[in-house]
Amino acid sequence: MKICRSIQSLHGELSAPACGRGRIGFVPTMGFLHQGHLSLVRCCREENDLTVVSIFVNPAQFGPAEDLQRYPCDPEKDIVLLEKENTDILFMPDNSEMYPQPYRTYVNVEGLDTMLCGQTRPGHFRGVATVVLKLFNLVCPAWAYFGQKDAQQAIVIRQMVRDLHLPVQIRVMAIVRDSDGLALSSRNVYLSPAERQAALLLPKSLQKAAALIGSGVAESQVIRESMQKELDRDPLLATEYISIVRLQDLQEIPAIEAGNTLIAAAVRAGRIRLIDNLLLGDLSC
Ligand code: PAF
């Protein structure tokens, strides 16, 4: 695996004869890799000739009161994991490489960035869209891989790709969970044992939603109330939102639309914010 810390060395690697002929697949990450990330890397390897992974903790997507400084990182371990997955190129730029000063250009995907997670994370999706577009411009992938856990992020990126005619296809891969059902997330390491136990109510609430839908219930309010009841079982959890929305525009809908619905929730367990969702449809494009 080639490790590139600068744009110049990335360009050097990508233009090397060995890289010149194949289809490039790309997995952007912020590091502290877990099996969810590695499932994206594996799929990328299977579907492309060259696999590029980036690790960059993007300051533009963190609010001033958020955990940028505390974001977990273990680059040595990430490198070992990516070597094992036969990654071809790891791009690990620093802030000055990605945001040379003065920096003034940002991407706003209007109308998809203020609901769900956008309600409590203003500017987050602007930061995500900006860095992903920059990374796409640097790596020029044919395919890029994202996790369904960050479903709103995938929807924002899919819209940006369409709106800006970007020559990249987006693949959104299923959520990878621990054996107890908790969706894998780099931030899970910060949960205390009690918080982790409480956090299990989040996937359980989505299982309840799936069971209701399976039994023929379609009304959003009934599903939302059942999920809230589940989340209320542990006082350590504070619900941020439970949203039942259409995939294209993330607008709340009164009833489930088959093949076109996202049921998403965010909770706080102590200082840790957790998200999870149930997707009735497809986000790839
Ligand atoms: O999902 C993430 O890890 C990040 O939001 C991404 C897509 C790498 C952009 O910084």
Side-chain angles (χ1 to χ4, degrees):
M1 180 172 76
K2 301 280 184 199
I3 300 179
C4 302
R5 294 181 193 272
S6 69
I7 291 169
Q8 196 186 12
S9 77
L10 176 70
H11 281 157
E13 283 305 326
L14 289 173
S15 59
C19 302
R21 284 176 295 276
R23 190 165 93 167
I24 299 176
F26 177 46
V27 184
T29 81
M30 298 205 301
F32 209 69
L33 304 176
H34 52 63
Q35 287 300 321
H37 298 111
L38 299 181
S39 75
L40 306 182
V41 176
R42 275 172 216 137
C43 187
C44 182
R45 287 259 338 141
E46 274 163 28
E47 297 182 347
N48 299 278
D49 303 300
L50 193 86
T51 292
V52 181
V53 175
S54 66
I55 294 180
F56 177 63
V57 182
N58 173 34
Q61 69 190 72
F62 288 78
E66 289 185 355
D67 60 350
L68 174 62
Q69 304 310 329
R70 286 187 301 119
Y71 196 81
C73 78
D74 190 346
E76 288 79 21
K77 185 169 168 217
D78 289 345
I79 289 170
V80 172
L81 290 171
L82 292 173
E83 291 269 17
K84 273 199 197 134
E85 297 299 334
N86 294 319
T87 303
D88 296 293
I89 298 176
L90 169 59
F91 180 46
M92 287 178 94
D94 64 13
N95 282 349
S96 62
E97 196 69 9
M98 288 302 286
Y99 294 101
Q101 295 303 313
Y103 188 85
R104 301 186 201 282
T105 306
Y106 293 90
V107 181
N108 281 308
V109 181
E110 291 178 4
L112 294 180
D113 57 351
T114 51
M115 51 282 277
L116 311 185
C117 293
Q119 297 167 89
T120 51
R121 303 194 71 189
H124 170 69
F125 292 106
R126 170 189 190 252
V128 169
T130 301
V131 83
V132 169
L133 178 61
K134 287 159 70 69
L135 290 165
F136 283 175
N137 284 338
L138 294 171
V139 176
C140 300
W143 288 79
Y145 296 77
F146 295 86
Q148 183 202 309
K149 189 171 81 66
D150 295 300
Q152 186 175 10
Q153 166 172 284
I155 289 168
V156 165
I157 289 166
R158 186 175 76 158
Q159 185 72 45
M160 175 181 78
V161 164
R162 281 186 192 152
D163 289 350
L164 300 181
H165 313 289
L166 302 180
V168 56
Q169 312 248 39
I170 302 300
R171 290 271 271 133
V172 181
M173 311 298 297
I175 297 175
V176 178
R177 298 179 181 280
D178 249 326
S179 53
D180 56 10
L182 190 65
L184 295 187
S185 162
S186 303
R187 290 179 171 104
N188 289 354
V189 286
Y190 290 133
L191 291 168
S192 70
E195 287 166 351
R196 196 189 154 95
Q197 197 54 38
L200 296 181
L201 292 174
L202 180 55
K204 282 193 185 138
S205 72
L206 289 162
Q207 284 160 16
K208 288 250 150 132
L212 278 176
I213 294 164
S215 71
V217 173
E219 294 82 9
S220 299
Q221 197 182 331
V222 175
I223 296 166
R224 220 181 283 112
E225 280 170 10
S226 140
M227 288 179 66
Q228 187 64 70
K229 205 167 149 201
E230 192 64 20
L231 296 174
D232 286 345
R233 283 178 48 209
D234 195 315
L236 279 181
L237 280 195
T239 306
E240 205 170 84
Y241 68 78
I242 299 171
S243 287
I244 301 182
V245 295
R246 209 178 284 125
L247 293 185
Q248 289 90 346
D249 54 13
L250 294 178
Q251 290 301 315
E252 296 280 347
I253 42 179
I256 299 295
E257 294 175 11
N260 191 21
T261 301
L262 175 70
I263 303 180
V267 297
R268 279 188 184 275
R271 289 165 73 197
I272 308 306
R273 188 172 177 278
L274 300 156
I275 55 172
D276 202 346
N277 65 73
L278 176 65
L279 176 65
L280 309 173
D282 188 7
L283 291 180
S284 295
C285 70

